Amino acid sequence: MNDVPYIKQWRSSLFALFILSIFSTMAVAESPLWSATQTNEFSKDQILVKLKSNANASSLVNIYSDVGVSHVKTFQNIGISLVEITDQNKTVDEILESLNKYDQVVEYAEPDYMMQIDSIPNDPRFDELWGLHNTGQSGGTNDADIDASEAWNNHTGDSTLVVGVIDTGVDYNHEDLAANMWVNPNEIAGNGIDDDNNGYIDDVHGINAINDDGDPMDDNGHGTHVSGTIGGVGDNGIGVTGVNWNVKIMALKFLSAGGSGSTSDAIETLEYAIMMKTQHGVNIKMTSNSWGGGGSSQAMRDAIDASQNAGMLFIAAAGNSGTDNDASPHYPSSYDLPSVIAVASTDRNDNLSSFSCFGANSVDLAAPGSSILSSTPGNQYASYSGTSMATPHVAGAAALLWAANPNDSYADIKAKLMGTVDQLASLSGKMISGGRLNINNALGCDPNNPPNLQVSLAEAFSVYQSQAVVLTASLVNCANLTGATISVNFSNGDSALTLLDDGVAPDAAANDGVYTANWTPSNTGSTTANFSATHNGNNYPATRNGTVVETIVYTVNDQHSFDWVDISGTGTNLNLSDDSHYYSIPFEFNFYGQSYSDIAVGSNGGIYFEDTNLTLSNQPIPSDMTINTFMAVLWDDLNPGAGGGIFYEIQGTAPNRSLIIQWNEVPRFGINGNTSIQAILEEATGNIIMQYLDVNFDNASYDNGASATVGLQRSADFGQQYSHNTPALSDNMAILWSLNPEEPPAAGSLQFSQATYSVNEGIGSTTITVSRTGGSDGSVSVDYAINDGTATSGNDYSATPGTLSWNDGDSSNKLITVNIIDDNNQESSENFSLVLSNATGDATIGSPNNTVVTITDNDSGDDCAHATFSVADHKITIPMLDMPLLDSLTGEPNGNIAVLQAELAMTEGVGDFKMIPESISIIAGEEPNAECHASYSYNTRIMHFPFVDVASTIVLPPNIVIDGPIQVFEANLQQLQLYNEIFHLKDYTYLYELE
């Protein structure tokens, strides 16, 4: 199996989990502290399907009927369909598997995943709007804000510009929001009629995708809080003010009162926004998305891409797990689309908030997000914390900037926001811009100031040898400058690179001022990356220092000795159902060079290093998921809640302890049968042994790993896959993953001594040598086979396949004899090959394991006189013809004469030729040459030609058309009667075309 690491640029998995991750404090009373918990839940009644462009209605009816689903609706602007499951006897996995087999019409089918939030208590916090204007209140730092108050001297917004808030809805009656709520001009409120024919009744302020209606009232509070930061009415003497005093907020509800929502409902909100912009003329410029979590959904990405094509920004929270999104992507903020702005959070002292995610290549900029006061339902106000609160600061700023620059594109607005941030040491190397939002800078940006070279590579970076790193750079002055030349060289001796803005991967879009290149580090150790940008004759440098780390790759041995260590009676039962157990182990385990002492064991056959669980839908390795560092022992939809158990046990003493984890007689969801597998993690060596006692479910679709993934993953873009949805396993099998490869077997390796041989046709026979090197312990053997190439067995050579054997201690060379057949044909060199297979006795087959033998021709035709046939005048011209000399008295042959030239003309009969007497020229003293000269036999009355050259297409009996030029060997003319000069074509042999 494959033990080579896979490098991943980007891919989509089938998991989309949306969460509201906010920390909350009330100004007056205690309120919840929200935190995300992944549930792996998805709709059991519906799925998402994207069809290919060639799909037609009639074929879909048959496919859907066969699979057991029916069409619910299609998001026309995005091209994704919501499909209902009608066959209640099938699981979602079975439906997806069936649909994805119709790959001629189905681009993909994926679950309609759900999300969930849960809560723990927290105390009330601050009520000042420090993010807009920080004077040092409550222990903050003066001016650690977005300079909103300064910006308002220049602009306070545009009441015709619309921001879509995709969230839990909005309290559109709130005292500080009502005046800034978008109102559908073509809908009459409360009349129960879809006045504008857009598919929704009374969608006055937006839609509720959960109920498929026009009432997006907030029943959670989160969406109202977000909306207050974007566009709380300013200068009205009530409550708070938003970043944008004058703006319109379109409420797009897909999250319920309990904080749950589906991928399909999120897509529906984007579909509505696109429709209202492109078909109803609504000036919606962006959506604000303060939610996220889970893995990557292709359907969700396609929906965002469609909104981008409609000219909209998609502003998204970077996440609240405090982790690096480069290593563990957070969606939807991590989708690699130009219209996405991923927002991190800062606190009142301009530090990255403790909870905020970051990413040098995946997060764009930061904004205030800790203890942010804003509106909540029922004319209330509260302080929340989270990247959910940072995101609307950027959305409001983008709306304010767009109001001042109405002709700008989404790319222009994004570039200005990122190019005018306040650069902060606390954010350097943590995000692409390296800074916190400053809307006053963006509004008042002076294009005459010198540009700033921003690069994605962080200071003190750490990258892996031989693993591609995407480098981006932008020369920014109010916006990204195009027409620059940007390069980077490395002090460690790696080749210099030119970063391009041509839209060719890895560059996302041409001429957007973002220059991109792939760097695959070669030399390990400390290095300095020296960036240089040239624009209008001026040079702008940037320097980053870091380290290239040696890439660690496991050696895989799937022939390791099986040695089952049963702990089902002695180990600790984790009592898992469809979840995971996270606990500490008494030693540090080395996984891809990192040490871990906390282990999570999951129900679905995985081991990982954070408190979560692998999704039930197995993916190839590597994949972008919630967990990106793990061991997939048998990643499948296992169901210990229905039987069996999962156990762990520590055996041995330090420093040679082992952690044994055993899935014992665990069933797979939806079928009969169970599996028993285990993993052994060795303290001293770092080895991982995966053992498979029983991988037979009595169902070919799932047996032997047919529906599972086996392998190791270090990160979202690096892993080693043994198998994926392939029956590559067997009962009583063990796979050893080793950081320190085992010594090669003492039995040695068997290989040919040469990769090629060259022999002359006249040699008679030749010998091929097979050697044994690297050890001679034990008796070994290897099979060899002979395969035709351009040379064929029986015509050009003869040999018999067989087996070569060595006794214990024997390292002598073994010989294979091949007979070479010498023919009389002039021909080009020909070849055949030998190949080794089936080594026994612990020997391996080395390199080369095959050899090619070339036979060179020993026949020369340079002194031969060829006959020629002219199609134009139907004549055979013979330059040299050997004929018998007849005795004048007896009439019998007596010696030979040589005819220097003779011609035969074709008669009316096809294939009949007549000698032309006057063409004959006789010479004496020419010795006959049977191999080269044409000849005539008095006894057989046959004229034989060893060579006949034909200049063009010829028809030869029986009605064979041969395109010329060609060469005919062994042509024979039969004289019909002794004293009749008519010769009939008797037979011929066609060998090859003339060069």
Side-chain angles (χ1 to χ4, degrees):
M1 283 297 158
N2 199 339
D3 61 357
V4 179
Y6 290 84
I7 307 300
K8 177 191 172 298
Q9 296 295 333
W10 180 90
R11 74 168 304 280
S12 71
S13 62
L14 298 180
F15 184 70
L17 176 70
F18 301 144
I19 56 177
L20 303 178
S21 294
I22 63 172
F23 300 104
S24 168
T25 58
M26 292 293 290
V28 178
E30 188 173 277
S31 73
L33 168 66
W34 301 100
S35 63
T37 301
Q38 179 180 321
T39 63
N40 290 338
E41 293 182 359
F42 53 85
S43 173
K44 302 297 190 295
D45 304 315
Q46 57 193 32
I47 58 174
L48 293 167
V49 179
K50 185 170 186 181
L51 304 172
K52 293 186 176 178
S53 58
N54 62 347
N56 59 71
S58 58
S59 65
L60 286 177
V61 170
N62 295 331
I63 291 172
Y64 282 176
S65 175
D66 178 58
V67 172
V69 298
S70 64
H71 179 265
V72 175
K73 60 182 173 183
T74 297
F75 304 116
Q76 297 291 343
N77 293 288
I78 299 171
I80 296 170
S81 297
L82 184 63
V83 173
E84 182 181 20
I85 298 173
T86 56
D87 187 345
Q88 298 303 316
N89 293 320
K90 291 183 179 179
T91 66
V92 171
D93 275 354
E94 291 170 335
I95 293 289
L96 293 175
E97 184 177 357
S98 298
L99 273 175
N100 282 313
K101 288 180 180 177
Y102 290 99
D103 55 4
Q104 296 300 312
V105 294
V106 175
E107 186 167 325
Y108 60 78
E110 65 180 42
D112 189 6
Y113 274 98
M114 307 295 293
M115 68 69 136
Q116 186 65 44
I117 57 175
D118 60 4
S119 61
I120 57 175
N122 189 24
D123 295 328
R125 302 291 291 248
F126 307 100
D127 61 0
E128 295 87 358
L129 297 179
W130 67 266
L132 305 182
H133 184 58
N134 193 338
T135 61
Q137 63 268 49
S138 301
T141 298
N142 185 54
D143 205 32
D145 55 44
I146 70 169
D147 279 355
S149 59
E150 292 87 344
W152 293 330
N153 292 324
N154 296 317
H155 219 291
T156 57
D158 179 356
S159 60
T160 67
L161 191 149
V162 181
V163 177
V165 176
I166 300 178
D167 215 289
T168 61
V170 179
D171 180 359
Y172 43 78
N173 296 319
H174 195 285
E175 61 184 5
D176 231 2
L177 292 174
N180 276 351
M181 291 303 301
W182 171 73
V183 177
N184 188 344
N186 298 314
E187 194 74 19
I188 300 173
N191 68 351
I193 298 173
D194 181 10
D195 301 290
D196 58 359
N197 295 314
N198 68 355
Y200 297 90
I201 296 172
D202 293 339
D203 54 321
V204 178
H205 300 298
I207 63 166
N208 182 329
I210 303 169
N211 298 330
D212 287 326
D213 64 28
D215 185 7
M217 176 56 73
D218 188 1
D219 49 9
N220 175 281
H222 185 266
T224 302
H225 193 281
V226 165
S227 298
T229 299
I230 295 172
V233 179
D235 202 27
N236 65 347
I238 301 173
V240 297
T241 183
V243 176
N244 202 319
W245 292 5
N246 300 294
V247 71
K248 295 304 178 189
I249 295 169
M250 177 187 286
L252 302 169
K253 177 178 175 62
F254 90 103
L255 297 169
S256 69
S260 62
S262 66
T263 307
S264 58
D265 286 342
I267 290 171
E268 183 175 348
T269 62
L270 277 173
E271 168 80 3
Y272 180 84
I274 296 167
M275 173 184 64
M276 296 308 292
K277 179 179 178 69
T278 60
Q279 299 174 30
H280 295 268
V282 176
N283 188 29
I284 180 169
K285 293 291 193 178
M286 73 201 75
T287 58
S288 181
N289 302 273
S290 290
W291 43 271
S296 173
S297 162
Q298 183 64 45
M300 193 67 231
R301 186 184 189 278
D302 287 346
I304 299 170
D305 190 35
S307 74
Q308 173 180 291
N309 293 335
M312 289 190 277
L313 280 171
F314 186 92
I315 303 172
N320 296 337
S321 61
T323 54
D324 186 350
N325 287 355
D326 288 355
S328 299
H330 171 276
Y331 295 101
S333 64
S334 288
Y335 288 118
D336 58 338
L337 291 167
S339 63
V340 174
I341 300 180
V343 184
S345 170
T346 54
D347 64 19
R348 64 180 69 246
N349 291 300
D350 262 344
N351 295 313
L352 185 71
S353 299
S354 61
F355 52 79
S356 180
C357 290
F358 55 90
N361 299 295
S362 55
V363 174
D364 293 301
L365 78 170
S370 293
S371 299
I372 302 301
L373 178 68
S374 188
S375 51
T376 54
N379 295 330
Q380 299 297 308
Y381 302 88
S383 291
Y384 292 170
S385 294
T387 54
S388 284
M389 284 55 260
T391 301
H393 280 86
V394 176
L400 194 61
L401 187 58
W402 229 323
N405 300 275
N407 295 322
D408 278 3
S409 68
Y410 74 82
D412 294 331
I413 297 298
K414 179 177 179 179
K416 287 179 180 178
L417 291 174
M418 293 181 61
T420 56
V421 297
D422 284 336
Q423 297 283 328
L424 301 174
S426 61
L427 304 181
S428 176
K430 297 288 187 179
M431 54 204 64
I432 295 171
S433 69
R436 184 244 314 120
L437 173 71
N438 188 311
I439 182 56
N440 189 52
N441 286 351
L443 281 172
C445 183
D446 183 356
N448 295 315
N449 289 333
N452 173 40
L453 179 58
Q454 299 178 357
V455 300
S456 61
L457 202 61
E459 182 64 20
F461 64 83
S462 179
V463 296
Y464 285 94
Q465 181 188 29
S466 302
Q467 182 175 341
V469 179
V470 178
L471 300 179
T472 62
S474 298
L475 196 59
V476 182
N477 183 10
C478 300
N480 292 342
L481 300 180
T482 59
T485 300
I486 301 181
S487 62
V488 59
N489 63 68
F490 305 94
S491 64
N492 67 342
D494 281 5
S495 299
L497 300 172
T498 299
L499 285 72
L500 302 176
D501 183 19
D502 57 2
V504 178
D507 189 53
N511 300 316
D512 64 352
V514 179
Y515 298 76
T516 313
N518 272 332
W519 173 35
T520 304
S522 300
N523 301 305
T524 59
S526 299
T527 187
T528 299
N530 298 297
F531 291 84
S532 175
T534 301
H535 187 263
N536 290 337
N538 297 311
N539 182 260
Y540 306 95
T543 299
R544 297 291 185 270
N545 298 292
T547 305
V548 177
V549 180
E550 180 182 4
T551 296
I552 296 174
V553 179
Y554 283 84
T555 299
V556 184
N557 178 11
D558 59 3
Q559 303 297 314
H560 188 69
S561 299
F562 178 79
D563 185 17
W564 185 260
V565 183
D566 186 19
I567 62 168
S568 61
T570 59
T572 300
N573 191 336
L574 299 177
N575 296 311
L576 298 182
S577 55
D578 193 21
D579 51 1
S580 63
H581 182 80
Y582 189 62
Y583 61 99
S584 296
I585 60 176
F587 59 85
E588 291 193 343
F589 183 73
N590 178 13
F591 186 67
Y592 279 114
Q594 297 293 319
S595 295
Y596 298 93
S597 58
D598 294 320
I599 296 285
V601 178
S603 59
N604 292 324
I607 302 171
Y608 18 95
F609 306 98
E610 52 188 292
D611 190 7
T612 187
N613 190 18
L614 276 175
T615 173
L616 55 87
S617 296
N618 68 301
Q619 303 296 319
I621 291 175
S623 288
D624 286 347
M625 294 170 297
T626 307
I627 312 169
N628 283 312
T629 305
F630 60 85
M631 310 170 204
V633 185
L634 187 74
W635 181 9
D636 206 342
D637 190 7
L638 303 182
N639 187 17
I646 302 177
F647 302 85
Y648 80 93
E649 183 173 300
I650 302 292
Q651 293 189 356
T653 58
N656 296 300
R657 290 165 289 190
S658 294
L659 168 64
I660 303 174
I661 301 166
Q662 181 172 324
W663 290 259
N664 192 68
E665 298 181 356
V666 175
R668 189 192 188 280
F669 183 83
I671 63 171
N672 295 323
N674 55 59
T675 186
S676 291
I677 59 174
Q678 70 180 197
I680 302 174
L681 281 56
E682 297 180 348
E683 175 186 15
T685 64
N687 288 348
I688 304 163
I689 304 171
M690 299 179 182
Q691 301 208 102
Y692 303 90
L693 179 66
D694 180 7
V695 283
N696 192 332
F697 293 99
D698 296 325
N699 187 317
S701 297
Y702 307 101
D703 290 346
N704 303 317
S707 61
T709 299
V710 177
L712 308 178
Q713 180 165 314
R714 186 196 70 200
S715 59
D717 55 3
F718 186 93
Q720 293 175 255
Q721 179 174 285
Y722 181 80
S723 64
H724 171 66
N725 291 347
T726 303
L729 305 175
S730 60
D731 291 351
N732 301 321
M733 175 181 177
I735 302 174
L736 171 65
W737 302 80
S738 176
L739 291 173
N740 301 297
E742 297 175 304
E743 292 296 325
S749 63
L750 310 175
Q751 57 276 318
F752 289 109
S753 61
Q754 298 175 215
T756 60
Y757 287 81
S758 181
V759 298
N760 187 270
E761 185 179 67
I763 196 173
S765 65
T766 189
T767 55
I768 309 300
T769 303
V770 179
S771 63
R772 182 184 189 183
T773 60
S776 60
D777 292 346
S779 297
V780 299
S781 66
V782 68
D783 296 339
Y784 65 89
I786 304 99
N787 301 316
D788 286 349
T790 53
T792 59
S793 177
N795 294 318
D796 302 296
Y797 72 92
S798 64
T800 304
T803 301
L804 302 175
S805 299
W806 288 259
N807 293 324
D808 183 19
D810 180 9
S811 60
S812 63
N813 293 336
K814 305 298 180 184
L815 303 179
I816 303 170
T817 300
V818 180
N819 295 317
I820 307 300
I821 298 174
D822 189 7
D823 58 29
N824 295 321
N825 299 326
Q826 182 187 0
E827 53 199 349
S828 58
S829 297
E830 301 169 305
N831 61 70
F832 62 94
S833 62
L834 292 84
V835 62
L836 301 177
S837 63
N838 302 325
T840 66
D842 290 332
T844 59
I845 295 177
S847 180
N849 67 338
N850 69 299
T851 188
V852 177
V853 181
T854 300
I855 304 173
T856 58
D857 191 40
N858 67 342
D859 298 303
S860 174
D862 293 343
D863 60 346
C864 292
H866 293 196
T868 59
F869 175 70
S870 171
V871 177
D873 57 9
H874 308 293
K875 288 183 180 179
I876 298 176
T877 300
I878 310 168
M880 190 64 70
L881 173 67
D882 297 328
M883 297 184 65
L885 178 65
L886 299 183
D887 189 281
S888 58
L889 298 176
T890 64
E892 296 295 325
N894 184 13
N896 288 282
I897 61 172
V899 178
L900 182 62
Q901 181 171 318
E903 290 183 346
L904 289 85
M906 183 180 288
T907 65
E908 293 181 357
V910 176
D912 292 342
F913 295 83
K914 183 176 181 178
M915 184 75 75
I916 301 174
E918 55 266 30
S919 69
I920 298 174
S921 175
I922 300 175
I923 62 172
E926 180 72 20
E927 290 294 324
N929 188 328
E931 292 183 0
C932 292
H933 297 180
S935 63
Y936 176 76
S937 169
Y938 177 85
N939 294 325
T940 61
R941 297 199 297 275
I942 290 177
M943 188 177 293
H944 171 73
F945 300 88
F947 302 95
V948 181
D949 295 339
V950 182
S952 59
T953 300
I954 183 172
V955 180
L956 296 176
N959 296 321
I960 299 174
V961 178
I962 302 176
D963 292 331
I966 63 166
Q967 193 167 89
V968 178
F969 284 70
E970 305 294 334
N972 292 292
L973 298 180
Q974 174 76 57
Q975 189 176 18
L976 299 180
Q977 296 180 7
L978 181 59
Y979 296 105
N980 184 347
E981 292 100 12
I982 301 296
F983 291 79
H984 179 72
L985 182 61
K986 179 177 183 291
D987 55 47
Y988 58 89
T989 301
Y990 161 74
L991 288 185
Y992 59 82
E993 294 184 3
L994 288 175
E995 296 292 340

